[in-house]
Each structure stands twice: as C-alpha cells, then as structure tokens.
Amino acid sequence: SAVAALMGLLGAASLHSLGSIHSEFSEVMNDRYPKLRIAGEIKAVNNDVSQALRNLFVVSDPDDIKAQFDVIDGSSKRTNANIEKLTQTITSDAGKQALARLNTARAEYRKPRDKVIELLKAGRNEEAKIALLLDLRPKQVAYMDRLEDLVQLQDKLMAEAGSDVERVVAQARVTILVLLASAAVIALLMALWIIRSVTRPLAEAVSVARGVA
C-alpha cells in the first residue's frame, strides 16, 4: 500500500541519514582529531627541547648533561615520526601547503639549534647563549607559528565537519517529518475511503428496505 511504501521510504531515509552522520563523525575521530593530537605532540616535544637546552646551561653533572642531550636526540626521532604521519594522512591542498611550510620552518630552526648544541658540547657556553638568543629563538618562534597555522587549519576542517553533521541532521529531520506527514494524510484518506465504502452500501440497503416496507 501507499502507507507501507512511505514507511519504507522513511526507514531508508533514516538509514541514509545515519550513514552520513556516521561517516562525518568517523572522519572527525579518525582523521581530523588524530592530526591535531600529532600537532600537539610536536609542540610538546619542542617544549621539551627548549627545556633541555636551558638545563644544559646550568647543569654540571656528566649524567645530567647526557640526559639532556638524550632528550634532544629523542625529540628529533619523535618529531620525524610525527611529521611522517602527517605526510601520509594530509590530503587536502591547503593541508599539504601548510605542512610544506612547517617542514621548511623546521629545517631553518634545526640549523641554529644544532649549532647551539655543538657549542654546548664544546664547552663554549657563552657563545651558545648568544646563538640561542639571536639565532635559535627567532627560528623557533617561526617554526611554532607554522605549526599553529596547521593546527588552525585542522580546527577549521573539524568545524566544517561539525557543520556538515548539523546539515545532515537538519535535512534528515525535514525528510522524516515530510514522510510522516504524508503517511498520516494518506492513512486519513484511506480511512475515510474505507468508512465511505462501508457506510454507502449500508445506507443504500436501508433505503431499499424502507422502500419495500
């Protein structure tokens, strides 16, 4: 019947809407959010490097000095791995451009960073301090700015995904309401038709009976 067909359409529309919502939600949780987490880890690692460099100016115990250099060495490996993850997962043109700028800024930052490390290892702390303030610090700021650009881009994409979910929900609500209203109207018309199909013969029978009487 028409009502059954509309109910079938209602079910199909609901399933389609749920599928769209699931797809958008999965994209946020499996793509957008992990990229933000990776960017956050890169920033945290950079902070660890900054702290280790500062510590190298004040510690004197050989074990402490070695521990700080180990932190710096480990940070490079972690950041390399995170950059590789971003390279493999970022697919948009804007994202690729932001990542390219981040890689450029990181390469420019690592040159003065490595210079400061060499000076510290050579015991030339005063020169290292000057190099850190004049050369390393500006490059580090630029590096973090490019990382923030990437974070803001991912934030924007997450917001757009959220808007897409809201749009899908709104469309589903309208579609379901229209189908429900249509089903109600058809059910009402069918009920009226059934009532008339029953009452009309009865009325005619009563009229005939009265005529005979």
Side-chain angles (χ1 to χ4, degrees):
S1 67
V3 174
L6 281 174
M7 295 307 294
L9 286 175
L10 178 62
S14 300
L15 288 174
H16 175 73
S17 299
L18 287 173
S20 298
I21 293 171
H22 179 267
S23 176
E24 295 291 346
F25 183 76
S26 296
E27 184 176 15
V28 170
M29 297 306 298
N30 299 326
D31 183 68
R32 310 298 187 202
Y33 175 73
K35 290 173 184 174
L36 285 173
R37 182 184 57 78
I38 291 171
E41 185 173 347
I42 292 174
K43 185 174 183 178
V45 168
N46 182 74
N47 290 337
D48 290 342
V49 172
S50 297
Q51 184 63 53
L53 287 173
R54 287 194 294 269
N55 291 342
L56 285 168
F57 284 100
V58 295
V59 298
S60 56
D61 182 81
D63 290 337
D64 290 339
I65 293 174
K66 181 180 182 303
Q68 301 309 314
F69 282 124
D70 287 344
V71 168
I72 296 171
D73 183 59
S75 72
S76 295
K77 296 177 181 177
R78 289 168 60 190
T79 300
N80 286 340
N82 283 324
I83 292 292
E84 180 60 26
K85 291 177 184 177
L86 291 176
T87 302
Q88 293 176 355
T89 55
I90 289 178
T91 57
S92 69
D93 291 338
K96 290 179 180 179
Q97 292 171 6
L99 181 59
R101 289 191 291 269
L102 175 64
N103 282 325
T104 299
R106 184 185 178 220
E108 293 177 352
Y109 151 77
R110 292 186 66 176
K111 293 177 183 177
R113 188 204 68 175
D114 291 345
K115 177 182 177 182
V116 170
I117 292 172
E118 290 176 4
L119 290 171
L120 286 169
K121 286 182 176 180
R124 297 156 63 183
N125 286 20
E126 288 304 317
E127 294 179 55
K129 186 180 299 184
I130 295 173
L132 186 148
L133 294 174
L134 298 183
D135 300 327
L136 177 57
R137 181 57 180 165
K139 297 298 183 182
Q140 182 183 36
V141 170
Y143 173 33
M144 289 297 97
D145 285 345
R146 299 295 76 76
L147 180 61
E148 183 61 26
D149 291 343
L150 183 63
V151 169
Q152 290 181 4
L153 174 62
Q154 295 304 317
D155 279 338
K156 178 183 176 182
L157 293 174
M158 283 191 66
E160 290 176 353
S163 297
D164 288 341
V165 171
E166 293 177 357
R167 175 182 53 78
V168 170
V169 170
Q171 289 177 345
R173 185 182 295 114
V174 171
T175 300
I176 290 171
L177 288 176
V178 169
L179 290 174
L180 285 173
S182 300
V185 170
I186 291 177
L188 177 61
L189 292 174
M190 289 184 66
L192 291 174
W193 178 80
I194 292 172
I195 291 172
R196 292 191 64 181
S197 66
V198 172
T199 57
R200 180 178 293 177
L202 289 175
E204 291 176 352
V206 170
S207 178
V208 171
R210 287 176 177 173
V212 172

